């Protein structure tokens, strides 16, 4: 699915790899008798949304009781004056619907509509993103594009296939990606092999990905090999994971990324936690063509409800050799202080950023009101910026603080009172199926 301006957080690399040869005691993919892995762990395509919900601006999806529907509005005051929108300062921001399993079935904003379809076991069958544009000075909206993702499973809930396509203006269908999954078992190891064809620009690439899991269903490694049939170019990327257990919970300690066909490039992400399992340090070291960049975050918890994160940057590139576009400077770059209330909602966030000219302090204060289920029904956000010359800057510059921006969010929450319909079947699309068959016959089945 394509990333939209409101959607948050999609992994850029899809998890796929090469088949493993010479295995013994293998369970054939066509004779599986149980669920091998949770589909969410099988491929990152199902993890593009936190709990199946795109994280949009101002939209919080943490609930103490599962809602049936949420209609969220907001009003915004910039520089002390209300901005009038549609003859009112209040406008519809998000309209979300859920089923009794707590899974979202629809999310609608002014410019986008997400739809989700599930089977009776709660597996995601289809996810749709429809984007719209509104004609000037009218209330008429027309669809710009639609992105459709389709997933299939076997009778035990193992992910079997994935298909993504786009419907552009004029009902033009464009192929994006197709994947097939097979599973193997050897003692305490589970191996998932994903063969796929994906479109990049005007070209198709054929991928083979192998993911290896331990007996705790933790991914140990995966390797994704790509081949471009037209240019004959090959690509490869490998991820290796390490874990530790703290108080019975498993945590990632490091992720090493290498590109075998580009042996000068490597990245290592490492994580440290305290005796309670709280993250206290992250480090991302990137080495490429003899140069090194390190991003490091140190986390402390001075109070029970407070967390302070200091972010640092360092590099072995001499300052005189750094290009003008290279804006990062060695040393402390940012300090983030977060405070939460007893319900886990953020009440204050202060971000102090450092650059060559000034120190910028971004202050955000939040207040809530709650319903009887302790889900918040209103949130008031007050934001302002303060500026000061950097101590290392010799220029005599004065900076004026900004006036505060105030945004208020309101949520109308309804809850389930009786059994509701859990599943709704997606509509079939013959054009999409014909497009898939055409592409697979040319690039996929032969490999």
């Amino acid at each position: 699915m394509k990333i939209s301006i409101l959607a948050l957080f999609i992994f850029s690399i899809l998890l796929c790899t090469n088949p493993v040869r010479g295995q013994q005691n293998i369970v054939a993919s066509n004779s599986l008798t149980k669920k091998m892995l949770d589909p969410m762990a099988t491929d990152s395509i199902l993890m593009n949304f936190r709990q199946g919900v795109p994280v949009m601006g101002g939209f919080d999806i943490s609930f103490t009781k599962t809602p049936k529907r949420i209609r969220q509005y907001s009003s915004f005051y910039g520089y002390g004056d209300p901005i009038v929108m549609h003859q009112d300062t209040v406008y519809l921001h998000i309209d979300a619907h859920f089923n009794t399993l707590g899974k979202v079935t629809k999310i609608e904003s002014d410019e986008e509509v997400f739809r989700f379809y599930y089977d009776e076991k709660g597996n995601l069958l289809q996810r749709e993103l429809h984007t719209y544009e509104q004609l000037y000075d009218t209330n008429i909206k027309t669809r710009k594009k639609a992105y459709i993702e389709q997933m299939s499973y076997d009778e035990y809930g193992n992910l079997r296939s994935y298909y993504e396509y786009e419907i552009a203006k004029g009902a033009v269908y464009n192929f994006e990606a197709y994947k097939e999954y097979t599973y193997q078992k050897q003692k305490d190891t589970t191996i998932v092999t994903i063969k796929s064809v994906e479109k990049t620009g005007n070209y198709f690439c054929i991928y083979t990905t192998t993911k290896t899991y331990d007996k705790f269903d933790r991914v140990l490694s995966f390797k994704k090999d790509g081949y471009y049939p037209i240019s004959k170019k090959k690509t490869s990327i490998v991820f290796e994971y390490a874990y530790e257990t703290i108080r019975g919970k498993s945590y990632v300690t490091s992720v090493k990324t290498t590109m075998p066909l580009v042996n000068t490039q490597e990245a290592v992400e490492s994580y440290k936690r305290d005796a309670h399992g709280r993250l206290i340090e992250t480090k991302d070291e990137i080495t490429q063509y003899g140069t090194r960049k390190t991003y490091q975050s140190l986390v402390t918890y001075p109070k029970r409800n407070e967390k302070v994160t200091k972010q640092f940057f360092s590099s072995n590139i001499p300052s005189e050799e750094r290009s003008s576009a290279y804006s990062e400077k060695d040393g402390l770059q940012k300090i983030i202080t977060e405070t939460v209330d007893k319900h886990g909602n953020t009440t204050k966030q202060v971000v102090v950023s450092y650059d060559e000219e000034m120190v910028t302090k971004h202050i955000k204060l939040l207040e809530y009101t709650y319903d009887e289920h302790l889900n918040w029904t209103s949130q008031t956000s007050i934001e302002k910026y303060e500026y000061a010359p950097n101590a290392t800057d010799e220029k005599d510059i004065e900076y004026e603080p900004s006036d505060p921006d105030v945004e208020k969010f309101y949520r109308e929450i309804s809850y389930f009172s009786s059994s509701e319909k859990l599943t709704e079947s997606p509509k079939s699309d013959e054009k999409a199926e014909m497009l898939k068959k055409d592409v697979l016959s040319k690039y996929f089945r032969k490999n």
Side-chain angles (χ1 to χ4, degrees):
M1 176 163 298
K2 303 297 183 183
I3 298 179
S4 67
I5 191 171
L6 294 177
L8 164 44
F9 6 170
I10 296 178
F11 288 98
S12 59
I13 300 175
L14 299 178
L15 312 181
C16 308
T17 45
N18 270 349
V20 177
R21 301 179 182 274
Q23 304 287 352
Q24 302 296 322
N25 301 322
I26 289 178
V27 178
S29 60
N30 60 356
S31 61
L32 292 178
T33 57
K34 64 179 182 179
K35 189 172 185 177
M36 306 294 285
L37 292 165
D38 190 289
M40 292 284 286
T42 303
D43 201 315
S44 63
I45 56 174
L46 298 182
M47 297 177 64
N48 290 347
F49 294 86
R50 177 185 169 199
Q51 297 180 4
V53 181
V55 181
M56 300 178 175
F59 187 62
D60 187 349
I61 58 169
S62 299
F63 307 110
T64 58
K65 177 179 173 61
T66 301
K68 175 181 179 180
R69 182 184 183 187
I70 292 180
R71 301 181 72 220
Q72 181 166 308
Y73 303 77
S74 73
S75 61
F76 178 76
Y77 298 83
Y79 306 105
D81 297 322
I83 296 178
V84 177
M85 297 181 180
H86 305 299
Q87 299 179 347
D88 200 344
T89 58
V90 180
Y91 66 99
L92 178 62
H93 186 69
I94 298 293
D95 189 0
H97 300 253
F98 300 80
N99 62 24
T100 53
L101 294 179
K103 295 181 179 294
V104 66
T105 57
K106 178 183 177 183
I107 294 183
E108 184 173 6
S109 69
D110 291 337
E111 298 177 347
E112 300 174 336
V113 176
F114 291 85
R115 296 183 184 275
F116 305 83
Y117 301 88
Y118 307 88
D119 62 18
E120 65 280 359
K121 298 179 181 179
N123 294 314
L124 182 62
L125 291 176
Q126 185 160 306
R127 181 167 55 199
E128 304 175 359
L129 167 59
H130 302 266
T131 60
Y132 295 87
E133 61 182 354
Q134 187 166 325
L135 300 180
Y136 180 73
D137 201 26
T138 71
N139 291 323
I140 301 175
K141 292 183 180 181
T142 59
R143 189 175 71 179
K144 293 170 60 177
K145 290 184 178 181
Y147 301 100
I148 315 296
E149 294 172 290
Q150 297 176 343
M151 284 67 71
S152 70
Y153 307 81
D154 66 14
E155 60 182 309
Y156 307 106
N158 295 299
L159 184 61
R160 281 306 192 190
S161 69
Y162 169 86
Y163 175 37
E164 178 186 352
Y165 61 93
E166 173 197 69
I167 306 177
K169 280 188 175 181
V172 176
Y173 282 65
N174 298 313
F175 180 95
E176 296 295 334
Y178 177 80
K179 301 182 180 185
E180 286 185 353
Y181 305 78
T182 56
Y183 302 80
Q184 299 171 330
K185 188 76 173 179
Q186 183 185 22
K187 295 183 178 179
D188 293 331
T189 302
T190 302
I191 302 165
V192 180
T193 301
I194 312 172
K195 296 200 67 175
S196 63
V197 55
E198 302 173 28
K199 191 174 182 181
T200 304
N202 296 323
Y203 302 96
F204 289 92
C205 185
I206 300 170
Y207 291 101
T208 303
T209 305
T210 302
K211 299 178 65 179
T212 304
Y213 297 82
D214 64 12
K215 62 180 180 180
F216 303 107
D217 292 346
R218 302 179 303 189
V219 60
L220 299 176
S221 66
F222 77 82
K223 180 182 180 184
K224 182 174 182 178
D225 292 326
Y227 174 71
Y228 292 87
I230 295 180
S231 64
K232 311 299 182 183
K233 179 182 176 181
K234 295 182 179 181
T235 64
S236 183
I237 186 168
V238 178
F239 290 79
E240 300 172 88
Y241 297 80
Y243 299 86
E244 68 176 340
T245 300
I246 302 175
R247 292 188 171 186
K249 291 185 179 182
S250 179
Y251 300 97
V252 176
T253 57
S254 67
V255 182
K256 181 179 180 181
T257 307
T258 55
M259 301 179 70
L261 300 182
V262 186
N263 55 19
T264 56
Q265 183 166 322
E266 179 181 286
V268 178
E269 299 174 55
S270 57
Y271 308 88
K272 291 183 179 180
R273 296 178 179 272
D274 62 17
H276 302 284
R278 299 181 303 183
L279 186 66
I280 58 175
E281 180 182 356
T282 65
K283 183 183 290 186
D284 189 0
E285 297 179 285
I286 303 172
T287 304
Q288 186 175 16
Y289 306 116
T291 64
R292 175 191 52 77
K293 299 179 182 179
T294 301
Y295 301 87
Q296 184 181 21
S297 296
L298 300 179
V299 186
T300 57
Y301 303 86
K303 299 178 182 179
R304 185 176 183 180
N305 63 336
E306 186 177 80
K307 180 175 72 171
V308 179
T309 303
K310 294 184 178 180
Q311 297 180 353
F312 299 85
F313 172 78
S314 62
S315 174
N316 64 349
I317 304 175
S319 57
E320 63 272 13
E321 295 182 11
R322 301 181 186 182
S323 65
S324 58
Y326 190 92
S327 60
E328 292 175 299
K329 184 180 179 181
D330 287 347
L332 178 63
Q333 289 190 316
K334 190 175 291 186
I335 300 177
I336 304 171
T337 304
E338 298 174 276
T339 306
V340 299
D341 62 15
K342 62 181 180 180
H343 305 299
N345 293 308
T346 300
T347 58
K348 183 177 181 180
Q349 183 181 74
V350 179
V351 181
V352 182
S353 304
Y354 301 84
D355 61 25
E356 293 183 357
E357 292 187 356
M358 72 176 104
V359 178
T360 304
K361 180 184 286 188
H362 177 205
I363 303 171
K364 185 175 184 179
L365 304 174
L366 300 108
E367 296 180 352
Y368 305 87
T369 59
Y370 301 88
D371 63 15
E372 66 274 20
H373 303 293
L374 299 182
N375 289 324
W376 67 260
T377 54
S378 71
Q379 177 197 90
T380 301
S381 171
I382 303 174
E383 294 186 67
K384 65 177 181 177
Y385 290 85
E386 297 177 357
Y387 307 95
N390 194 315
T392 61
D393 186 8
E394 298 178 356
K395 298 179 182 179
D396 186 14
I397 303 176
E398 293 185 0
Y399 301 94
E400 293 292 334
S402 68
D403 291 327
D405 292 339
V406 180
E407 187 164 12
K408 293 187 177 182
F409 296 92
Y410 306 91
R411 299 201 306 196
E412 298 176 0
I413 306 177
S414 60
Y415 298 93
F416 290 97
S417 58
S418 59
S419 179
E420 306 266 343
K421 185 178 181 180
L422 295 182
T423 61
E424 181 181 356
S425 300
K427 297 179 181 179
S428 60
D429 193 323
E430 293 184 3
K431 287 186 178 180
E433 287 301 308
M434 292 176 61
L435 174 64
K436 179 177 69 176
K437 291 179 180 179
D438 181 55
V439 173
L440 297 187
S441 65
K442 293 179 181 178
Y443 296 99
F444 191 71
R445 302 304 181 188
K446 297 178 181 180
N447 294 275

